[in-house]
Amino acid sequence: MYFLLSCWTFGMSVPSGLFVPSLLCGAAFGRLVANVLKSYLGLTHIYSGTYALIGAAAFLGGVVRMTISLTVILIESTNEISYGLPIMITLMVAKWTGDFFNKGIYDIHVALRGVPLLEWETEEETEKLRACDIMEPNLTYVYPHTRIQSLVSILRTTAHHAFPVVTENRGNEKEFMKGNQLISNNIKFKKSSILTRAGEQRKRSQSMKSYPSSELRNMCDEHLAAEEPVEKEDMLQQMLERKYTPYPNLYPDQSPSEEWTMEERFRPLTFHGLVLRSQLVTLLVRGVCYTETQSSASQPRLSHAEMSEDYPRYPDIHDVNLTLLNPRMIVDVTPYMNPSPFTVSPNTHVSQVFNLFRTMGLRHLPVVNAVGEIVGIITRHNLTHEFLQARLRQHYMTS
């Protein structure tokens, strides 16, 4: 009866547990074997309690596949060190027998829930893969200054927990800035971010050859050489005009759409940081935004305590009433994003990416090229054993 109840209640939101019921069922089976040996074979000298202990160890060890820790628990509970060797042999045989048929119940439950649980280390074959081979290139991103309607659309149509904050690389940015405050704010933020990055590069190195980006090197040189503000603006604009094929004129208040062409999806995007879903929802709930006729400095600022007030159960975007907000208002996410998350280059080995996730407890890892453009993102799902094996087979087929 207890065995059937344990099978039925495991995984339910009831305080039934699995450890004690498994011990009880195993002990009952062990004592049953002892009683059968006494009654039908006449082995009256055996002790039923010993069979109950071995049966409990075998049953629980076969269910959860525990070995050393379960041995210590049973020895401490019985206070009999003499049972150490029989318990260890029983647990090893139970584990081997269970592994012959399937995985442990906890591993099965993790797979059923779809939890991306990482292994301890990667296989040697995965050394042939790079970050660009396993990353997700189809990004869902936000701009530093984004309209409320675009944020709500992104949050309601995706389940991602973080979004890259990016700006587009255009060849005619001056034309876009005219008459549009939203686009002007995004372009100005990109310019100030690139100049700040260039200044940090110069401070860290005395040699110009050590700069990883020729764009930053040229911009830093010309920014320091420019003396007049007008000339500085002209040189800055000249350096920001990248030599790319013309891309469609998409405005920052347009959220990523399934109807976008391949050219629209993979246009160059300068990476500035990561913003969490919980942060975006909090900003919308508290009405942190500004109108297009105002400056972004007029937007209310929330403290860290206010941003984390709903932790750990942040409201769901589908349960939030946003009828009082004007969908055309703009949200400045730059004060709340993480401007310096962990990033890797597209040529980074998968083993290095895996170790970074394991040691730092990451959930998102942007893939950024040498000129600061985001080309993809890696999550735990991209590092599971099944996903890596699939990409490895694809690598062998294409090589």
Side-chain angles (χ1 to χ4, degrees):
M1 182 184 66
Y2 276 102
F3 173 72
L4 296 177
L5 289 176
S6 300
C7 295
W8 181 53
T9 58
F10 179 72
M12 298 176 60
S13 299
V14 293
S16 60
L18 183 68
F19 205 88
V20 174
S22 297
L23 286 175
L24 176 62
C25 295
F29 276 117
R31 189 172 289 272
L32 176 64
V33 172
N35 292 339
V36 169
L37 294 178
K38 282 183 178 180
S39 303
Y40 294 95
L41 298 181
L43 301 178
T44 57
H45 61 281
I46 63 176
Y47 180 53
S48 300
T50 304
Y51 280 78
L53 175 62
I54 299 300
F59 197 96
L60 184 58
V63 171
V64 300
R65 312 293 162 84
M66 297 170 61
T67 53
I68 299 177
S69 58
L70 188 56
T71 301
V72 175
I73 292 173
L74 293 176
I75 291 177
E76 289 183 349
S77 61
T78 58
N79 199 22
E80 283 290 342
I81 192 66
S82 59
Y83 290 136
L85 182 60
I87 291 176
M88 292 179 64
I89 296 176
T90 301
L91 290 175
M92 290 304 301
V93 173
K95 184 181 186 305
W96 292 337
T97 305
D99 291 340
F100 180 77
F101 293 99
N102 53 23
K103 295 182 179 180
I105 192 168
Y106 292 136
D107 296 324
I108 295 176
H109 203 62
V110 165
L112 290 175
R113 296 293 299 271
V115 179
L117 189 65
L118 301 184
E119 303 292 338
W120 286 108
E121 57 185 10
T122 58
E123 298 180 359
E124 294 183 359
E125 295 180 346
T126 57
E127 287 293 329
K128 301 176 183 179
L129 297 177
R130 304 298 177 104
C132 58
D133 297 324
I134 66 171
M135 69 181 185
E136 174 56 49
N138 189 8
L139 299 173
T140 302
Y141 50 83
V142 298
Y143 296 93
H145 301 263
T146 311
R147 296 193 190 278
I148 288 180
Q149 63 180 8
S150 182
L151 288 180
V152 173
S153 175
I154 292 173
L155 292 174
R156 287 181 175 176
T157 56
T158 64
H160 307 312
H161 290 275
F163 303 92
V165 181
V166 302
T167 52
E168 298 178 12
N169 293 326
R170 305 176 183 271
N172 53 344
E173 291 179 338
K174 283 187 176 181
E175 297 296 329
F176 275 92
M177 293 176 64
K178 295 178 180 179
N180 194 308
Q181 183 67 27
L182 175 61
I183 297 179
S184 178
N185 288 342
N186 282 313
I187 294 177
K188 289 178 180 178
F189 175 80
K190 184 182 75 167
K191 291 180 178 180
S192 62
S193 176
I194 291 178
L195 282 177
T196 302
R197 193 148 47 99
E200 292 175 353
Q201 292 272 3
R202 178 174 289 276
K203 290 180 182 179
R204 286 197 298 264
S205 175
Q206 299 298 327
S207 174
M208 299 300 293
K209 295 181 180 180
S210 63
Y211 288 147
S213 169
S214 59
E215 178 190 26
L216 296 181
R217 180 171 65 249
N218 297 336
M219 185 178 298
C220 188
D221 289 340
E222 300 203 12
H223 174 63
L224 294 178
E227 297 179 358
E228 297 182 7
V230 178
E231 294 181 1
K232 180 184 71 174
E233 181 66 24
D234 293 340
M235 291 182 178
L236 176 60
Q237 182 64 32
Q238 189 177 12
M239 289 298 105
L240 286 172
E241 291 177 354
R242 303 293 303 281
K243 304 303 181 182
Y244 286 107
T245 306
Y247 286 87
N249 297 335
L250 299 177
Y251 288 88
D253 55 351
Q254 293 178 329
S255 58
S257 171
E258 293 295 334
E259 290 76 20
W260 280 7
T261 63
M262 295 296 291
E263 185 183 25
E264 292 170 343
R265 286 184 178 277
F266 299 104
R267 63 189 183 281
L269 301 168
T270 301
F271 179 70
H272 298 289
L274 275 179
V275 62
L276 301 179
R277 166 182 285 268
S278 58
Q279 294 174 318
L280 294 178
V281 174
T282 303
L283 294 178
L284 293 175
V285 169
R286 295 182 175 271
V288 179
C289 54
Y290 67 96
T291 62
E292 197 163 359
T293 59
Q294 297 175 325
S295 171
S296 59
S298 62
Q299 174 178 281
R301 297 300 174 93
L302 299 181
S303 63
H304 176 72
E306 293 173 323
M307 289 293 294
S308 58
E309 184 176 347
D310 296 326
Y311 176 84
R313 299 188 179 276
Y314 292 97
D316 191 346
I317 187 62
H318 299 282
D319 301 331
V320 176
N321 184 12
L322 302 175
T323 56
L324 299 179
L325 293 178
N326 183 357
R328 299 294 296 174
M329 297 187 74
I330 305 171
V331 179
D332 181 10
V333 302
T334 55
Y336 310 100
M337 71 178 184
N338 180 9
S340 55
F342 285 96
T343 60
V344 293
S345 67
N347 293 324
T348 305
H349 288 281
V350 167
S351 59
Q352 294 176 289
V353 175
F354 190 89
N355 291 334
L356 195 58
F357 266 83
R358 291 284 304 180
T359 55
M360 304 307 300
L362 302 182
R363 296 188 64 179
H364 318 88
L365 186 62
V367 183
V368 182
N369 61 17
V371 294
E373 295 167 353
I374 184 169
V375 295
I377 194 168
I378 299 175
T379 62
R380 288 177 178 265
H381 290 279
N382 303 108
L383 294 173
T384 57
H385 178 74
E386 294 78 11
F387 187 88
L388 291 178
Q389 290 299 318
R391 288 305 172 94
L392 198 58
R393 289 192 296 269
Q394 184 179 357
H395 175 77
Y396 285 140
M397 292 175 61
T398 56
S399 61

